Structures are given as C-alpha cells and as structure tokens.
Amino acid sequence: MGSKDHHHWQSNNVKQSGVDDMVLLSKITEDGIVENLRKRYNDDYIFTYIGPVLISVNPFKRCPYFTDREVEMYQGAAQYENPPHIYALSDNMFRNMLIDRENQCVIISGESGAGKTVAAKYIMSYISKVSGGGTKVQHVKDIILQSNPLLEAFGNAKTVRNNNSSRFGKYFEIQFSFGGEPNGGRISNFLLEKSRVVSQNSDERNFHIYYQMLEGASAEEREMFGITNPDYYSYLNQSETFTVEGTDDKKDFSETLGAMDVIGISPEVKQTVLQIVSGILHLGNINFVENGNYAAVETDDFLSFPAYLLGIDMEKLKEKLTSRKMDSKWGGRSETIDVTLNVEQATYTRDALAKALYSRLFDYLVEAINKAMRKNIEEYNVGVLDIYGFEIFQKNGFEQFCINFVNEKLQQIFIELTLKAEQDEYVQEGIKWSNIDYFNNKIVCDLIENKVNPPGVMSILDDVCATMHATGEGADSTLLQKLQAALGTHEHLNSWNQGFIVHHYAGKVSYDVSGFCERNRDVLFNDLVELMQSSEYHFIQGLFPENLQSDKKSRPTTASSKIKKQANNLVATLMKCTPHYIRCIKPNETKKARDWEDKRVRHQVEYLGLKENIRVRRAGFAYRRAFEKFLQRYAILTSETWPHWRGDNRQGIVHILRSVNMDSEQYQLGRSKVFIKAPESLFLLEEVRERKFDSFARTIQKAWRKFNAHKKYAEMREEASNILLNKKERRRNSINRNFVGDYLGLEERPELRQFLNKRERVEFADTVKKYDRRFKTTKRDLILTPKYIYMIGRDKVKKGPEKGVIKEVLKHKTEINNIVSVSLSQMQDDFFMLHEVEHDILLESVFKTEFLSQLCKRFKEIKNSQLALNFNNILDLKVKKEGWGGGGQRQVVFVHGSGDLAVLRPSGKALHVSIGQGLPKNSRPNRQSLMQNARHGQRAGHPMKRDDHNTSVVKYSTPKIHRSGQQSSNTLRGPVAAPSNYPQRAPMYAEPHCRLPCMELPQMPRQGNSKRNRPAPAQTNTDFMQVPEQGIAGMRRRDTVNKIPEPGQGRRKKAPPPTPTAMLCRALYAYEAQDTDEIGFSFGEVIQIIKEDPSGWWLGCVRGREGMFPGNYVEKI
C-alpha cells in the first residue's frame, strides 16, 4: 500500500524525528519546544501532539499524506497507533460524537497564514469520507465540500501575510443523524472585511472572485459585463497586484461556478450574481470633482455601465451619489430637505453602496448554502471554527481591531478549558495537585468589551459614534481623547499620536484610529436603499428588504456591537460542545517550504502558551469521566458489571480497572469522576472493549450470514433444478448439495488467474474431464466468468531455461455468446456437450448442474434470450479439424445399465455410456431437508465430496487398476473436489473420476498413480508436511478428550464404543475450520475417523479435538 515515498508515514518502521507528543520532552522550555518542531518540520512531519491538542506547522507545499490510504489508516485507530495527523483528531471527534452522543467542535487558532483554512478543509473532507452514505447524504456531503471554493472566492483574499487569507470568520456545523450520517449543516459567518472591496494595501488584492471572473469569463460574459484588464478598475489597481504565485484564477473560477450548481443556485441567479460583482467594479470608476464646494460626477460615461448592470436609472444613481435627503425637525414640525454632498462625502457614499452590495451578496450565498443543507430536527453536530487569524500590519485599522478581538476570545476559551478549568476540576474532585501558573488574557478581553467600570474600548467607540453627525477626523480625535481619559492608566493600553496600542496575548498592536468611527457606524443611508429597491432585478431588490416607511427611533446597531454579540454567541455555542484544539504555527513570512524563522516560531510558542499546556498535561490526567458514564461505557468488560452493576459505582469502576490489570498509579477516583493518567491506559480499556464488541458482532454476523447463505444456496439449487426438471434423471447424492462456485480456489492460484482479465469475476471453476475425438480424456480446469469460458491445461516447456518444467497453458477460450447450445442425455450421467459454430466440446463434471445454471444466467444477460438446451440419449459430436487430420462427426450413445456408475465403451466413432436409472426426472430438491443438511452435514461454501457414484469407468479387455494399485473387478474410487483454499503445496488437479489406460499425454503429469508409486519429490513434500505429527503431545490430548464424558448441551447422540482398531485417514489438503463444531488440519496430517456420514461430512478427532470435517479432503489409511 502506498509508494515508497510514503514509507516514513507508516506506523511500522517510522523514522523518528523529535517526539510525536511534546508531553514526552525531557526538558520543557520554549527552546526545547521550538527545536522539536523544527526537527519535525524539516523532515516533513508537520503535526505534533500535546496530549489531545494538535500542533500544525504550515509546510507551504503539498504533502503526500492526505490520500485515501491515510483515511483508511486513521479510521477507527487509536491515537498512539499512527504518527500525529489531523485525520486522527478528526476521527476521534467523529467517534466521540457517536459514542458519547455529544456535540463536538474543533477550534482552529493561529495567526494569519498559519494554515487554518486548509486544516478546516481536511477535517471536513475526512468526515465526508468516513461517514455514512445514501443519495441524500451524498448530496449534503457535496454541498459541504463545495461550499469551500465558493466561500473562499467571495470571502478570501491575498494579503501581505497570506496568499489565501480568510477575510471573514465562519463556524461550520455538520449535522448528523443518530447513525452518524451527515444529513444537514449550517454556516455562521462573522465580520466580512467589507473595506477590502474599495481599498487594499500595497502588495494585496481584492477578494478572489474579481480576479477569477476577469480571467475565466467567456467572451459573451466579457462583453455583457464590461470585463477588461484589472488595471482598468479603480477598486483593483490601487495595490498594483493582480496575480498570486501558484494560483490559477481561471481554473478557480470554473470551480466557483460548479460549486454554485451543486448548492442549487439557478443559472439566472448565477448570472445576476456576476452582474453585481461586475457592477461593483464599474461603480468604483465613478470619480467626483469639486464644483463650488459641492461634488459633481467627473465623467457621466462611467455611470451608464454600473446603472445597466444593477438595473437602475443612471440619473437616479447620479443623484443619490451626490446628494442626500435628510429629515429636519423644528419644534413640532418635520420636513425633508435635499443636502448636496462634497467630494469626500460623495466618495464615502459610493464606497458605502459598493460595500453594502458586496456584503449582502455574500450573506445571500451563505444563506443559499444553509438553505441547501437545512433540516428540521437537530440531532448531533460537529462544528469546525475557521476564523481569521491574529494579524499585525503596517497600518492596523478597525477591521484588524475586530479580528484580533475575536482571536483574543478564542484564546480565552483555550485557557479556560485547557488550563484553568482542568486545574480547578482537580481541586474540586479532591485530586492531589500542584497549581501551575499561566497568563489569563481575560483582562485584555475585558479591556475591549466591558460595558462599565471601566468601560471598554468598544463601549467608548459606540458612545462617540452615537453623537457624531458628520464624517471626518473630528470624531476619531474625540475617540482618542475619551480612550485616554477612561483607560489611560490601564496596563494593557497605551496611546500614541495617531491612535492607541493594545497589549494582546500575541503581542502589542498599534491601531490607527483614522476611519474607526465611520467603519463602526456602518450606516447605509435610506437614499441608497431606496435606489437599490428600484432595480428592475428582483434578486437585487431582495438584497435590500428594509421597510423605509417605519419610523425607527432606536439607535442603529454598530459594527463593534455586532461583532461583540457574535463573538459571545460563538463562545456560548462552543462551550456547549466537547472541544478539540488545533494550534497552527506559521514558520516564516516568506511563504516558502523549508524556510524556518526561529524567532517567529518562538514568539508563537510563547503566546500560544504551549509550555504551560505541556506542563498541565504532563502533571495531569489524560482522561476523566463521571462514574455513571464510565460504567455505562466499560461495563461490558466483565461479566459482573454487564449488563448492570448493582453495587457502589466506585467499587464497580475499581473492579473493571483491575480486570484489565491497570496499575493503581495510573488512575485516581475523585468525588464524582474517575481520572486516568496515561493515554495508553485509556487505549488499553478501549482495545479490550473493542475486542468484546468484535466478538459479539462476529457471533451475530456469523449466524446471520449462515442463515442467508443457507437460504441463498437453497434458492440457487431450486433454480438450477428447474433447468433439468422433467428432462433429465438426477443423482441421489447431488440433488440436495450446496453450490460453491469456485472449486479451484482461484484467489490462491495466481498461475490460473493470469489467464483471466484483471478483476474478472469468477462464476464457476472446477477441474473437469475433456474427451477428444478418440474419446481419450485429459484434465482441464474449466472456468466460467460473466463473458468467457476458459479451459486451462498443462504442458512441458520445450525451450529456454525452464525446459521440461510443467506450466499452465490456456487451451481454449470462447465468448459465452459464441455458444450455440448445450446437449445432455436424459439419464443421471455427468456428461454435457458445448456446441460452438465450428466444433463441439464433450466434458464430464459432477457439478454440471451448477455450471449450466450459471451459464444460462450469463447467456441471458448477454443475448437477452434463453440458451438452447437439448436432451437426447444420442448426442452428435462435431470434431474440430486440426491440421491435415481431424474433423468429422462422432456419437455418444447413452443406454440403461445397472448401478450409479457410468461404464464407457469406446467403439470406433461412437462412445457407448451405460448407467443405471437415477431419481425420476420430476425430482426437485427439498428446501427443508436442504437447510437441515446444511446445518448438520454439507455447509455452504464447502466442496461437496465426489463419491463413488459420481464416476465413470471405461470397459477394456485389460484389467482395471484400483487406486491402491491392485487389480480389481470393482470400479475406481471417485475423485476428491479441489478445496477452495490451498496449502503451500497443492495438487495441480483434483483426483480423477476415472482413468483410461493408454490415455496418458506426455505433457501432463501422471494422474491416478498410487501414492506409494509417486515420484520422490511428491513424497518428500508429504514428509515435510507431516512434521507437525511428530511427538506425543497430540496423542495425549486426544486420549484425555476421549476420557471426558460429553456434556448434554445439544451435541450429537453419543457414538457407539469404538472398535478395537481405530479407522484413520490422511489429509490430502489443508482444511481450516469454519465453524465451532468443525476441526482443521494440515496437509498430510493423520485424523482418527469416529463416524462416516453419507452427506460427505465425517466425525473425527485430531490433536485431541473432536469435530466435523469434509471426507473428500482425506484418504483412508
């Protein structure tokens, strides 16, 4: 599995690089942590554990260990079994949801460019692959996966720190049924960076969708939407950066459109979405000039295209961009007046319209995804938080302030749940514990979001915005003064000449207050709402659903209050779930693989609190669970606790832990919870539990499969019997036998498989006798597949280094649709004749009914008609013409004789077959007796014994040779069916039905020789296989078993006392027991026969164990 390039990722022979889990570090220092991460990063190990927390270092390249092979490797595996991987965390999260019946979430944190978005993609991809199936489920999975490229196109952009930076936050909830099938989902989005639509810093880009559309639009779309080069658009040419290394915008545009199709966005709406995106670009090209202290549109030509694309009147657009209606109140009267805007105000209005259009379009796309995944009943869910990372730019504005605030809240969650809550729990439960100090960033969160005493930055900002009446620098200056007055003495806040500095958990950030108040107000004037509601496109009207007639007296909601509310709601949602953590680290600022900046990584290790995290994990306990839940999960481990423990919970838990021999130092019992120290101890419990469930599941599966197999094979026998019903006599011992299909064991026979097509299914395979034009027999392996019939023989190699070696040769291959008909006699013999266009093939097989049944099915599938079956006691055989000789006609004549053994008498061009009368032609298998035989005798999937009745003998003047080598007037013993599973050395053919003297071909091995007359190599192999029989331990065990009386638990009726001389037999093939009442043995092993049964399954004893075994696998000695 897998290429050699991936050998380091396998659990076996893993190349060691540092430590997988940093809890195992010898020295816990920032230098030691950084050095361990560096070693692993340079060896392409990007994942490392701190207990259950996953540390992920951005490799800035594609890694080879995210394939289906790794999905299979981590599915259901314990954490310690494989190297650290995001799939291990994903699997643990998914399984915990099903096992504990609790919602799960994963919090992915780290600075911008650390790899959070990619990590979220891998989690969703893994869960999609390992969860349940079905048409509806697959549709939900497709939406989950396709939502990524769509939201990235409209919500991600290139920044100086990250080529694919999320400029919005999202919490993606994948909703599951109780059975673990994803059947719904929901996305919550936070704070889209709208300002990026109208302005970008140097070396940055606008949102990806703009560049995708410019590169990927068709010629028709380019003309319709007015698409040209990116430097034409004011909203794109400010940074002079249009391309990103390693990004194919044209290809990404195609994926974005495909994602819209999957989500269910109609072609009409899709076109309108692109019109809006283009309209925003053209809107940005409208410039203003000063005309007597008022703003005027510089060139009216730039108004026509955005008006056309947005479906609005050009003159109205011009009016609303340069003027505004305002309500004026004088005393008890109010009136509306038109105010003409200056250039600064007009520019602000244009940009406000562009930002509103884009943000509302983005909200529509998120809602479209939610609508496509929505379900009525919420059962379980797994939440994936992928949010903008902590970031510091040269100029940090209002958006960076909000982004860093959300990251501050996420850090607080991590501290609360992994450092503070864990230590508090030990104290509450009475566990011995030494407190570990850490920095709690709650003081920074309070600095930003506090309402009063003292008010936080956001409260002061909202207060300033409530009193401002115009745009400009005045409000921002007021904000700075009020911050200094209220928070000037706070240790985590300082002032500077253009703004303020906040001491975040990740470091100091200087914020420029310029534009803070305007962006926080986030007001869209009614004039612009009214303008967009006048659009001729219903879709655009729907983006602006405000009721302008209502008299709103309440203060409009500010951007900071929205993000504060969203952040707190997010925290509340996360706290209701079982959290998992991924801490992403950015190794460099160059965005290049193998580039490692020690100082940068050390800084992240410090502010992420990894050292404190390691210390708490090292001193603490890996697992804790309430007594009731622990007993509920692990009660199955002992018979005393399963299904219910009726004593004290603490005693029951101690009993379970002692049953698996867990060291008492590895666990402690608190007041209400059990604490287990090492993960390995927990894995031990899980492993024992899995084995218990596996054992029970196998028992249930075995019984169910056995029942279904019996039912299936009974139906197959009935179908096959209908082919011969009222047309051919049946054999007494074959009418009720099981069908096996592959009697050659082709799964273990590559020398035969080589002639078949790759992955070609085998319907039937057996060794048969083929008769030539002189009625001489040769052995052939007959294989039937859905399209072909193969006949394989053996020949000696005549040339080359393998000269003289006997090898398999494909003697004949024909398509099933080339079979014209099949002929059989009306008697109980085993002959059948395949008629092709040019010649016929005469074969003999005890499994003819099974072969014909499968052949008829395949023939009907291919030709949509029934295969012609002829039943006559005189069959004409058309002989194949070979070279100068051959060809012509032969006859096979069937006559009634005596006995169940066919007697063959060749005479010139005819073969006379004499056989006694069989079961009547109207005989059918009895299903009830079949099911009973299957339980007590023949088993589905095991070869039927070819007994003495299924043989044919050729009458000659020369004496017949018995298998023992003695002359005998009796018939030869019947052949043994080739087993489905072969030992290391297996015979090339099954034992023959009969042997014609003087019919030995030079290229074939001698068939039917006595064992003692076989060549030396065969004898050597037999002796080798008999080695396990040496010694007396087996005999002693056998004697001991024979002395033990049989318990009365439904066993067979006690056998009569054995005769003084025990009957013995030797194994011709290895056999592996398939049921509890069977015995297995190796090739050449000696078995004591206790009882022979006509069904072919005998009762015997080997190595002191008594049970059933197939009689056709052995020969008596």
Side-chain angles (χ1 to χ4, degrees), residues 1093-1105:
D1093 192 277
S1095 68
W1097 283 84
W1098 297 355
L1099 182 65
C1101 183
V1102 64
R1103 299 188 302 278
R1105 178 174 170 78

Side-chain angles (χ1 to χ4, degrees), residues 573-619:
T573 301
L574 295 175
M575 296 294 274
K576 293 177 184 177
C577 304
T578 301
H580 305 261
Y581 306 95
I582 300 177
R583 312 289 267 172
C584 296
I585 289 179
K586 186 176 183 181
N588 60 64
E589 279 294 342
T590 61
K591 306 171 194 170
K592 294 180 180 178
R594 297 295 177 93
D595 196 355
W596 183 268
E597 296 177 17
D598 219 58
K599 185 177 179 181
R600 175 169 299 281
V601 176
R602 181 178 283 102
H603 175 63
Q604 293 172 76
V605 166
E606 289 174 359
Y607 74 66
L608 289 173
L610 299 189
K611 184 177 76 171
E612 293 78 8
N613 191 198
I614 294 172
R615 290 177 62 197
V616 171
R617 294 304 306 179
R618 195 165 186 172

Side-chain angles (χ1 to χ4, degrees), residues 75 137 173 212 258 271 408 414 473 527 739 821:
Q75 186 175 0
V137 170
E173 291 177 275
Q212 291 180 7
Q271 179 175 326
E408 201 77 55
F414 183 80
E473 299 177 359
D527 302 64
F739 286 178
S821 62

Side-chain angles (χ1 to χ4, degrees), residues 685-815:
L685 286 169
E686 286 294 317
E687 191 173 332
V688 176
R689 182 177 180 273
E690 287 291 331
R691 283 205 295 263
K692 285 280 186 181
F693 273 110
D694 186 62
S695 175
F696 294 156
R698 286 177 183 273
T699 302
I700 296 170
Q701 288 174 350
K702 192 173 187 179
W704 177 248
R705 287 172 180 167
K706 189 174 183 179
F707 171 79
N708 279 337
H710 293 161
K711 186 177 177 182
K712 173 188 172 186
Y713 285 119
E715 292 172 352
M716 288 175 62
R717 282 190 295 272
E718 288 182 355
E719 290 176 6
S721 178
N722 291 337
I723 296 174
L724 308 181
L725 186 65
N726 296 323
K727 298 174 183 176
K728 186 175 177 65
E729 296 174 0
R730 302 301 305 274
R731 287 192 179 278
R732 190 167 281 100
N733 288 328
S734 69
I735 192 169
N736 286 331
R737 73 169 187 82
N738 285 334
F739 286 178
V740 175
D742 181 9
Y743 296 89
L744 298 178
L746 289 178
E747 289 298 325
E748 306 296 330
R749 302 289 297 277
E751 72 276 12
L752 298 179
R753 265 279 179 187
Q754 63 176 318
F755 301 108
L756 276 62
N757 296 328
K758 191 174 182 181
R759 291 189 291 273
E760 191 171 12
R761 189 174 75 251
V762 174
E763 307 288 356
F764 178 86
D766 184 36
T767 299
V768 302
K769 284 198 300 185
K770 177 183 178 296
Y771 289 81
D772 64 8
R773 64 178 182 273
R774 295 189 181 88
F775 301 113
K776 292 182 179 180
T777 60
T778 52
K779 306 304 292 182
R780 292 286 185 263
D781 289 327
L782 176 66
I783 301 174
L784 173 68
T785 67
K787 290 186 178 180
Y788 297 98
I789 297 174
Y790 299 84
M791 289 189 196
I792 300 169
R794 271 78 177 165
D795 280 345
K796 282 185 179 179
V797 178
K798 296 179 180 178
K799 295 181 181 179
E802 295 185 334
K803 182 177 180 181
V805 176
I806 296 174
K807 285 211 163 189
E808 291 72 15
V809 178
L810 181 62
K811 293 293 186 180
H812 186 68
K813 176 183 177 182
T814 185
E815 292 186 19

Side-chain angles (χ1 to χ4, degrees), residues 62 82 100 249 304 328 362 384 584 647 786 848 862 952:
R62 291 187 180 276
N82 297 306
D100 298 333
D249 289 317
S304 58
S328 177
F362 185 80
V384 181
C584 296
K848 64 185 180 304
I862 295 172
S952 56

